[in-house]
């Protein structure tokens, strides 16, 4: 364990983030406790959507009412699974937290999955109830009818129909599903069930970029630690700036991560702990995001690097000063090293940059790099939280090896998949991340690549993330992906796919200029042998990771 900025006093005995037996000594022990505490925020606005504003009290009463219904009417018991499959709607939080208040295992599913992809996860986790919006009900109806599992439909938006044509419009309930009717009795509270730290709290499926998604199972102890981590990082960053933690303006966060992704958990845990407001968008649009920042007085932006870059580009081109914004946080995918320089150049020290590192298996962010530390070390993902241990296994001559993690926030394994659990976790609790990293003398971690993405060219290791960062630093490049392709003599060759800014030269001269740009900053063996210019956006999954399998097929076909 290394504390960020050397601020050990935050973790001293009796301090807010003291650690005992590898876990935070204070704070909530379960997500039910975490949700119950938010009731104290009362009439502060919590959830803001295009057509809804919900206070903490309204949210908590609605979540309690649904929790009572899940236990009483549906007969669900602690340990039963409750699937949540929705867009980023206020009702997502009512459903998710109702499951926690009822002692159920919440299973947030990818809202972009197809009917077959959803059926795979539903078969895997065997839920007792489906909590879905009007767009998802058509994709899960056949599975629900076939397996006799009931569902509740949260319409979310008036007149909404299934986005792929198979959903049902408002007022047309599907077989086995009933429309959600809020029960907001303020007196009854949550159902009387026992929820213990060692009980399972969530099953969150991995993105499946390297195979079938796996259900990562987190206990309440792990998720409670994950809920404390962003509070710790925020407090440490405030002290590093010479400020008293918790004394700044109320958080108003525009969080554009999909709620089913752990990066969103890191964001909304921080909002809820501070009694802040969570502003959401139905669909990402940089122009609309700028409007929301102005209209809602947004202080924090949280999203994948692609959305952050689009937001900053549009703000600069339109002269928007982003007056209310104080923090810009990225996650879910590797942040280009140049993003922090762009923030500093445009806004000075006023907007604090933040990135970090986390995985589905760590319940969200367990390392963070914030503010002056980030500006000084833009290639790092920061230092670990007090309840996270870091280890680099089998480092090479440059100190690069596989990143292993251990601590409170790690999941206990994969649902119904002992073989995958044994492959990922050591007997003494270390998780093999599959990422290549190095740790400097002050405990800062830099992730240089995925083990599976590293290119071995003629015996030399080429880290794709490093090359991508250099290409993204060129003023004409909007996005870049680097990968290895077979070569008869070298084993692998380095190839890049880039997307240029509108109006930029996309001819042969442009690719040579990009190779020359890379050659000034990289060893010759790292410079892409080929650079393909693509007019369309690079293929990414909903959480922002580039789908390199698709790009490899494109390169091989060409």
């Amino acid at each position: 364990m290394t504390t960020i900025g050397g601020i050990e006093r935050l973790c001293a005995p009796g301090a807010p983030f003291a650690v005992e037996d590898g876990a935070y000594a204070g704070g909530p022990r379960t997500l039910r406790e975490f949700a119950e505490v938010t009731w104290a925020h009362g009439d502060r606005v919590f959830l803001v959507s295009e057509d809804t504003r919900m206070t903490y009290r309204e949210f908590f009463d609605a979540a309690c009412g649904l929790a009572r219904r899940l236990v009483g009417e549906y007969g669900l018991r602690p340990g039963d699974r409750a699937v949540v499959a929705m867009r980023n709607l206020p009702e997502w939080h009512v459903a998710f937290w109702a499951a926690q208040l009822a002692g159920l295992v919440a299973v947030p599913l990818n809202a972009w999955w197809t009917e077959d992809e959803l059926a795979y996860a539903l078969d895997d986790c065997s839920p007792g109830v489906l909590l879905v919006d009007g767009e998802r009900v058509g994709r899960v109806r056949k599975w629900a009818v076939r397996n006799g599992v009931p569902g509740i439909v949260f319409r979310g938006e008036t007149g909404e129909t299934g986005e792929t044509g198979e959903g049902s419009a408002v007022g047309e309930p599907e077989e086995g599903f009933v429309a959600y009717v809020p029960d907001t009795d303020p007196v009854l509270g949550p159902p009387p069930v026992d929820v213990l730290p060692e009980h399972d709290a969530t099953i969150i499926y991995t993105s499946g970029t390297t195979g079938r998604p796996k259900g990562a199972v987190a206990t309440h102890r792990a998720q409670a630690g994950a809920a404390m981590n962003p509070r710790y990082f925020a407090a440490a960053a405030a002290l590093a700036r010479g400020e008293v933690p918790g004394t700044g303006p109320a958080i108003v966060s525009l969080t554009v991560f999909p709620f089913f992704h752990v990066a969103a958990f890191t964001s909304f845990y921080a909002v809820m702990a501070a009694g802040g407001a969570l502003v959401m968008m139905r669909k990402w649009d940089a122009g609309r995001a700028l409007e929301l920042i102005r209209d809602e007085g947004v202080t924090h932006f949280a999203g994948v690097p692609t959305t952050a870059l689009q937001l900053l580009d549009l703000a600069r081109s339109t002269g928007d000063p982003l007056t209310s914004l104080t923090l810009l946080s990225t996650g879910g995918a590797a942040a280009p090293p140049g993003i922090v320089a762009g923030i500093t150049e445009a806004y000075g020290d006023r907007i604090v940059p933040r990135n970090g590192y986390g995985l589905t298996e760590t319940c969200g962010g367990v390392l963070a790099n914030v503010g002056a530390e980030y500006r000084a070390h833009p290639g790092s993902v920061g230092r670990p939280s007090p309840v996270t241990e870091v280890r680099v296994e089998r480092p090479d001559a440059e100190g690069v090896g596989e990143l292993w993690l251990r601590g409170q926030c790690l999941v206990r394994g994969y649902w119904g998949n002992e073989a995958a659990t044994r492959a990922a976790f050591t007997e003494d609790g270390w998780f093999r991340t599959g990422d290549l990293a190095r740790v400097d003398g002050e405990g800062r971690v830099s992730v240089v690549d995925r083990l599976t993405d590293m290119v071995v060219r003629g015996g030399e290791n080429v880290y794709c993330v490093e090359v991508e960062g250099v290409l993204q630093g060129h003023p004409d490049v909007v996005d870049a992906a680097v990968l290895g392709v077979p070569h008869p003599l070298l084993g692998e060759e380095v190839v890049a796919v880039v997307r240029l800014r509108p109006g930029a030269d996309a001819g042969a001269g442009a690719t040579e200029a990009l190779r020359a740009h890379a050659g000034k900053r990289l060893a010759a063996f790292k410079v892409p042998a080929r650079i393909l210019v693509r007019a369309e956006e690079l293929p990414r999954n909903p959480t922002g990771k580039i789908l390199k399998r698709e790009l490899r097929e494109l390169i091989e076909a060409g």
Side-chain angles (χ1 to χ4, degrees):
M1 177 204 62
T2 305
T3 55
I4 188 168
I7 309 175
E8 290 83 2
R9 52 185 164 165
L10 287 173
C11 310
F17 303 98
V19 176
E20 293 180 5
D21 299 324
Y24 289 112
R29 299 173 303 156
T30 68
L31 286 188
R32 173 164 163 143
E33 289 182 7
F34 181 81
E36 287 175 331
V37 170
T38 66
W39 177 86
H41 298 316
D43 292 329
R44 291 187 186 179
V45 173
F46 172 30
L47 301 170
V48 179
S49 70
E50 298 292 338
D51 58 3
T52 302
R53 302 182 82 84
M54 186 179 293
T55 68
Y56 276 91
R57 184 161 299 159
E58 290 169 336
F59 150 74
F60 187 73
D61 289 344
C64 286
L66 179 57
R68 294 192 300 269
R69 184 177 179 186
L70 295 175
V71 172
E73 180 180 339
Y74 288 85
L76 298 175
R77 296 293 177 262
D80 290 340
R81 274 75 62 204
V83 155
V84 182
M86 303 185 205
R87 279 184 179 271
N88 280 21
L89 299 168
E91 290 83 357
W92 189 98
H93 279 275
V94 172
F96 176 86
W97 292 103
Q100 300 305 323
L101 292 168
L104 308 178
V105 183
V107 188
L109 294 185
N110 189 319
W112 281 269
W113 275 351
T114 64
E115 181 175 342
D116 288 344
E117 289 170 320
L118 288 166
Y120 164 79
L122 294 171
D123 283 336
D124 188 60
C125 70
S126 301
V129 68
L130 306 180
L131 308 173
V132 301
D133 63 18
E135 290 180 278
R136 253 46 59 179
V137 64
R139 300 183 212 168
V140 300
R141 177 182 56 82
K142 291 179 182 177
W143 185 93
V145 172
R146 185 169 63 248
N147 290 276
V149 176
I152 300 175
V153 182
F154 300 73
R155 304 297 175 173
E157 298 180 24
T158 303
E160 182 179 324
T161 59
E163 61 183 359
T164 58
E166 75 278 52
S168 62
V170 173
E172 299 175 4
E174 296 278 359
E175 180 182 354
F177 287 80
V178 297
Y180 169 64
V181 177
D183 174 2
T184 57
D185 190 312
V187 176
L188 297 178
V193 296
D194 290 328
V195 181
L196 302 178
E198 61 269 23
H199 290 172
D200 293 339
T202 58
I203 300 174
I204 300 179
Y205 281 83
T206 60
S207 59
T209 54
T210 58
R212 279 288 202 177
K214 300 185 291 290
V217 187
T219 63
H220 281 273
R221 179 180 183 271
Q223 287 288 7
M228 288 286 285
N229 280 340
R231 296 173 61 187
Y232 165 75
F233 288 127
L239 286 179
R241 296 191 301 270
E243 300 173 1
V244 177
T247 59
I251 294 176
V252 180
S253 176
L254 176 57
T255 296
V256 298
F257 295 114
F259 287 156
F260 58 78
H261 192 270
V262 291
F265 279 62
T266 298
S267 183
F268 64 66
Y269 281 157
V271 171
M272 295 173 73
L278 186 67
V279 181
M280 57 201 76
M281 301 178 69
R282 184 181 186 278
K283 183 179 181 180
W284 168 249
D285 178 86
R288 179 59 182 146
L290 287 180
E291 291 176 2
L292 287 170
I293 290 172
R294 290 192 297 269
D295 296 346
E296 300 294 341
V298 168
T299 62
H300 292 38
F301 176 87
V304 297
T306 302
T307 60
L309 288 168
Q310 290 174 356
L311 178 79
L312 292 170
D313 281 348
L314 185 58
R316 279 193 286 265
S317 66
T318 59
D320 192 312
L322 299 176
T323 304
S324 63
L325 205 63
T326 60
L327 177 74
L328 191 142
S329 178
T330 61
I339 191 172
V340 65
I343 295 171
T344 303
E345 179 183 353
Y347 303 103
D349 295 341
R350 179 174 63 80
I351 296 179
V352 176
R354 181 189 187 279
N355 82 337
Y357 179 88
L359 302 161
T360 305
E361 289 87 352
T362 62
C363 300
V366 291
L367 295 96
N369 196 8
V370 188
E373 275 275 311
Y374 191 6
R375 292 188 177 95
H377 304 278
S380 171
V381 292
R383 295 184 174 95
S385 77
V387 294
T388 304
E389 296 178 80
V390 171
R391 170 176 167 183
V392 173
E393 184 71 5
R394 297 183 298 277
D396 62 15
E398 297 179 351
V400 175
E402 185 180 11
L403 179 64
W404 286 15
L405 300 173
R406 184 168 66 176
Q408 178 181 358
C409 305
L410 263 66
V411 301
R412 67 169 180 82
Y414 299 110
W415 182 260
N417 195 336
E418 288 300 321
T421 300
R422 287 194 300 271
F425 293 86
T426 66
E427 291 186 0
D428 55 350
W430 288 97
F431 172 65
R432 305 178 177 98
T433 68
D435 284 322
L436 291 168
R438 62 169 64 89
V439 182
D440 70 15
E442 296 182 328
R444 296 184 195 89
V445 178
S446 295
V447 176
V448 299
D449 217 340
R450 288 288 296 170
L451 267 171
T452 53
D453 282 351
M454 184 181 71
V455 179
V456 182
R457 181 191 179 278
E460 298 283 357
N461 294 340
V462 179
Y463 302 119
C464 296
V465 170
E466 179 187 13
V467 183
E468 288 165 354
V470 168
L471 291 173
Q472 288 165 338
H474 190 283
D476 286 343
V477 175
V478 174
D479 204 359
V482 172
L483 59 159
V485 297
H487 188 278
L489 297 178
L490 299 171
E492 285 186 295
E493 185 58 280
V494 182
V495 177
V497 182
V498 301
R499 181 168 176 250
L500 302 180
R501 298 183 186 279
D505 176 20
T511 59
E512 287 307 310
L514 288 174
R515 293 189 74 253
H517 169 83
K520 294 177 181 178
R521 295 159 177 81
L522 298 168
F525 68 88
K526 299 179 182 180
V527 176
R530 283 190 288 159
I531 297 180
L532 284 69
V533 176
R534 178 183 168 99
E536 302 85 4
E537 291 188 4
L538 302 192
R540 295 177 181 271
N541 69 10
T543 60
K545 293 184 176 67
I546 291 178
L547 299 174
K548 293 193 174 181
R549 286 180 295 181
E550 292 188 16
L551 291 180
R552 187 169 281 108
E553 292 171 1
L554 175 69
I555 293 169
E556 292 173 352

